[in-house]
Structure formats: C-alpha cells, structure tokens
Amino acid sequence: HERILKQAAGQIRDTGLESVSVGRLMQSVGLTHGGFYGHFASRSDLLAQALSRALEDGAAAAKLAGDPAKPASFAAMVRSYLSRSHRDSRGTGCAIAALASDVARADERSRAVMEAHVERFIAKVADTLGHDDDEQALLAVSAMIGGLLVSRVMTDPKRSDDVLRAVRNSLVALQGKGEGEA
C-alpha cells in the first residue's frame, strides 16, 4: 500500500492527476493490476489518498526549507515561495500550485483534500501576517499560487522572473499597508 501510494503521489506531483494509470502504476511497483483493489476501493480512492500524500510531502518540504529556530515572517515566506528555485522545482515544490487546476476538475473528495491543505496554507499566512485579516490572507495565498503558476507558464526566463518579482513586491507592500491601517 505504502509503495503504491508513494509512487502515485510522485507521479501526480510530476504529471498531474489524470496521468495515473492503475495498470502502469501497479507494474511500476512490481504488483499486478488485479492486486490494486486489495489496497484501494477505486481509482478515485487512490487519487484522493495520493493527492493527500503529495500535498503533505510538499508541506513537509516547505517546512524543512525554513529555519526551525525562528518563525518565518510574511515577507520571508513570500520571497521563498515566489523564488526562482521554487519555480524551477516543479516536482518538489508546492503541490497546491502544481495540482490546483487538475483538482478543480476532479471529484468532490479530491477537491476536499486540496481544500483542507489550502485552508492550512491560508491559516499559516494569516499567522505570519500577525493580524486577524482573513481577506488579506486569502489574497496573499491566491496571489502566491497564481504568481507561481503564471511564472512557470512563461517561456522567457526574464518575463518569468518579472512575474515573480511583481507579485512578491506587491504582496510585501500590501502587508505594510495592512499594518499601517490597523
């Protein structure tokens, strides 16, 4: 079960939800297609569990990237998320950004799995903002995920960098405005 889940989570992060073929997946872990149903109720069950694993792995990688001795500031979080290294780490970067468009078209169970992780991300951002402004946290998370996605679409590296810089600068400036109004 664990080998199947790990392989499927990696595949989902690299190539998306719809890329998972039960037959090829089972073959890649040295098992038969018929053995699949001893581990999962359906392909949908596998996808929801593998998505959860992919999102957990992404969150764990983000946590490891930070300094555990000090909590991340909002500006540091934004700079790290909207960085070239994160943009270029599609297979190990934020699984929310990598899979959001796939999950938006998926079944309700997979959307609920993603939603829980997005809500945790929003809560983390709200915590780093240091004030109870859900709207600002929602805006920041949406801008970070969207900015990362758009930067990955751009074929011109300079233009891709421009996207990252524009969103980064706007979010850091937005935080300053929010603090001044409080």
Side-chain angles (χ1 to χ4, degrees):
H1 185 86
E2 186 59 31
R3 285 185 312 161
I4 299 167
L5 202 52
K6 183 178 178 181
Q7 182 72 17
Q11 187 175 343
I12 284 171
R13 287 177 66 86
D14 287 338
T15 55
L17 283 177
E18 291 308 310
S19 71
V20 176
S21 158
V22 171
R24 284 192 304 265
L25 174 65
M26 295 303 283
Q27 186 177 25
S28 75
V29 295
L31 298 171
T32 65
H33 184 277
F36 172 80
Y37 293 99
H39 297 279
F40 300 95
S42 63
R43 181 176 181 272
S44 179
D45 180 36
L46 164 71
L47 292 177
Q49 288 187 45
L51 174 63
S52 182
R53 172 64 61 85
L55 291 163
E56 289 165 11
D57 290 349
K63 195 173 193 176
L64 286 175
D67 182 354
K70 64 178 186 176
S73 69
F74 176 75
M77 179 188 291
V78 168
R79 286 186 189 101
S80 174
Y81 193 92
L82 295 169
S83 67
R84 284 180 183 162
S85 64
H86 191 202
R87 175 197 61 207
D88 298 342
S89 302
R90 295 172 202 263
T92 58
C94 177
I96 294 171
L99 298 168
S101 62
D102 282 3
V103 175
R105 292 184 291 275
D107 64 16
E108 188 173 337
R109 181 170 175 201
S110 290
R111 289 194 330 269
V113 167
M114 175 73 82
E115 178 183 30
H117 284 269
V118 170
E119 288 292 355
R120 282 196 287 277
F121 189 20
I122 292 166
K124 182 177 179 183
V125 168
D127 190 47
T128 63
L129 284 168
H131 51 82
D132 196 20
D133 187 347
D134 188 54
E135 189 171 303
Q136 196 171 22
L138 286 167
L139 173 65
V141 166
S142 298
M144 286 192 289
I145 293 169
L148 185 64
L149 278 168
V150 170
S151 75
R152 287 177 173 171
V153 168
M154 306 309 256
T155 58
D156 176 2
K158 183 187 176 317
R159 195 64 172 155
S160 178
D161 288 345
D162 290 344
V163 171
L164 293 173
R165 185 174 29 265
V167 178
R168 222 178 18 239
N169 291 344
S170 294
L171 286 175
V172 171
L174 179 69
Q175 182 197 18
K177 287 179 187 174
E179 290 172 349
E181 294 171 3

